[in-house]
């Protein structure tokens, strides 16, 4: 793989993870102005074929292979070009799928999760929020829990909005009385974000604003879900998630963190600080209005799940080396 064609931080990411890797599958360049690499499928783009090819690439055998293909189709059901995005090597949705596709018992954040869904839609404003991962389980008291989890691979590195550059956002998110309005107001108050006008925000520093906006949108959607305001169009797993009968709801984010110390210190640390500030603001609102919902105060890390995927050696090798 010729990483010399890549640019900036993306080149550093690919060099660190895959430059010297020897794969049992083919990868090809995609994109011209900002190239990446994706898995090669002989030009075929049917979801079942691609899902099966990916399962073979990562040596996922039956019965897990059948589950993987089913969950792959689920992960490609959101808004946008999910099939194209998920076949990119640095795809956050692919990372989420490979780690969480099995209905395997997972002990995390004082809960046990045994069921996973992908690209779950919650009603927000206009378009729904597509939550990357939904895990169903129980907390240590035995109460049923739903964990809504946003997945990030390198977006917090490559998706930075530069200082004072405008970031567009729907003005309805600032509407008085809606779930997001007091959160944005608090972010404006502490100068973490700046309101430029009715449809644009910015920051006084380079910042991954998209990540902050997504968490707020997911929070908005979960509040609607809890109030039985569901997004029902093309939301095949809605009934299964509803039928779980959760008593506790958790929103969080999991970030891929196996990058060079330079990238982690320059980008990950700053984004995690911004995320924690936001989580604290939302949790204050939850304490007043919906105490059975909380946002994880810190991001989760994919590196902490290495033991969980130790029985998927090709997946582990792809993300963490030998």
């Amino acid at each position: 793989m010729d990483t010399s064609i890549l640019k900036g931080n993306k080149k550093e990411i690919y060099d660190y993870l895959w430059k010297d890797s020897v794969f049992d599958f083919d990868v090809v360049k995609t994109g011209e102005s900002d190239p990446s690499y994706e898995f090669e499928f002989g030009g075929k783009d049917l979801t079942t074929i691609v899902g099966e090819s990916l399962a073979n690439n990562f040596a996922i055998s039956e019965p897990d292979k059948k589950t993987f293909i089913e969950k792959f189709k689920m992960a490609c059901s959101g808004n946008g070009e999910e099939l194209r995005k998920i076949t990119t090597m640095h795809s956050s949705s692919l990372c989420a799928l490979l780690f969480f596709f099995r209905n395997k018992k997972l002990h995390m954040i004082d809960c046990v999760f045994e069921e996973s869904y992908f690209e779950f839609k919650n009603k927000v404003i206009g378009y729904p929020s597509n939550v990357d991962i939904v895990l169903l389980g129980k907390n240590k008291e035995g109460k049923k829990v739903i964990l809504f989890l946003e997945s990030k691979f390198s977006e917090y590195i490559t998706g930075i909005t530069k200082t004072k550059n405008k970031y567009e956002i729907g003005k309805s998110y600032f509407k008085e009385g809606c779930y997001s309005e007091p959160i944005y107001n608090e972010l404006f108050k502490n100068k973490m974000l700046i309101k430029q006008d009715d449809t644009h925000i910015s920051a006084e520093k380079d910042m991954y604003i998209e990540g902050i906006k997504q968490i707020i949108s997911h929070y908005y959607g979960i509040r609607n879900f809890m109030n039985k305001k569901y997004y029902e169009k093309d939301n095949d797993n809605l009934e299964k998630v509803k039928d779980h009968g959760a008593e506790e709801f958790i929103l969080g984010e999991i970030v891929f963190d196996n990058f060079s110390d330079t990238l982690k210190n320059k980008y990950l640390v700053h984004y995690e600080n911004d995320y924690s500030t936001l989580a604290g603001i939302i949790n204050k609102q939850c304490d007043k209005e919906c105490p059975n919902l909380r946002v994880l105060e810190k991001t989760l890390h994919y590196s902490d799940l290495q033991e969980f995927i130790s029985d998927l050696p090709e997946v582990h090798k792809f993300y963490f080396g030998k």
Side-chain angles (χ1 to χ4, degrees), residues 75-264:
C76 293
S77 65
N79 295 326
E81 300 175 314
E82 278 74 18
L83 184 58
R84 180 185 60 80
K85 293 175 182 176
I86 203 170
T87 58
T88 304
M89 290 178 67
H90 63 284
S91 165
S92 60
S93 52
L94 176 63
C95 187
L97 180 66
L98 288 168
F99 274 77
F100 293 105
F101 77 90
R102 296 175 295 175
N103 293 322
K104 176 185 176 182
K105 191 172 291 187
L106 171 62
H107 295 264
M108 190 169 65
I109 58 169
D110 290 329
C111 298
V112 180
F113 300 100
E114 298 188 73
E115 214 172 325
S116 64
Y117 299 95
F118 298 88
E119 287 296 323
F120 185 82
K121 301 176 181 66
N122 278 320
K123 184 180 180 66
V124 189
I125 300 170
Y127 292 108
S129 76
N130 293 327
V131 183
D132 291 322
I133 311 154
V134 171
L135 299 178
L136 307 185
K138 294 181 180 180
N139 63 19
K140 59 185 178 181
E141 286 82 31
K143 293 182 179 180
K144 292 183 178 180
V145 176
I146 301 178
L147 171 60
F148 297 89
L149 204 54
E150 177 71 15
S151 171
K152 297 298 178 191
F153 193 80
S154 57
E155 293 92 335
Y156 62 88
I157 300 172
T158 60
I160 297 293
T161 299
K162 292 295 185 179
T163 302
K164 296 186 178 179
N165 280 8
K166 290 184 177 182
Y167 177 91
E168 188 172 1
I169 190 168
K171 62 181 180 181
S172 296
Y173 284 93
F174 307 137
K175 186 178 179 180
E176 185 175 356
C178 73
Y179 299 129
S180 55
E181 184 247 0
I183 297 169
Y184 277 111
N185 283 344
E186 192 64 28
L187 294 173
F188 299 147
K189 182 179 177 181
N190 68 18
K191 301 189 184 305
M192 179 173 163
L193 293 176
I194 300 167
K195 187 175 182 180
Q196 296 281 2
D197 52 49
D198 286 345
T199 57
H200 293 91
I201 58 178
S202 65
E204 289 284 0
K205 62 177 182 178
D206 291 357
M207 185 178 175
Y208 181 43
I209 297 179
E210 172 73 11
I212 299 301
K213 183 260 184 185
Q214 284 181 324
I215 291 297
I216 296 173
S217 296
H218 289 331
Y219 166 71
Y220 200 126
I222 295 168
R223 289 292 302 269
N224 277 333
F225 180 90
M226 294 171 66
N227 289 322
K228 304 187 186 308
K229 296 178 181 178
Y230 306 119
Y231 189 88
E232 299 184 351
K233 182 181 179 182
D234 300 323
N235 205 10
D236 294 339
N237 299 300
L238 176 59
E239 294 303 321
K240 295 175 183 176
V241 177
K242 284 167 54 178
D243 290 347
H244 184 58
E247 299 173 79
E248 182 181 0
F249 301 82
I250 306 171
L251 170 61
E253 183 155 296
I254 184 165
V255 297
F256 189 79
D257 56 318
N258 183 31
F259 297 128
S260 66
D261 289 340
T262 301
L263 289 179
K264 285 192 287 188

Side-chain angles (χ1 to χ4, degrees), residues 59-60 64 98 101-102 309-317:
I60 299 171
D64 284 341
L98 288 168
F101 77 90
R102 296 175 295 175
I309 60 163
S310 61
D311 53 345
L312 296 173
E314 293 303 313
V315 176
H316 188 279
K317 184 171 73 172

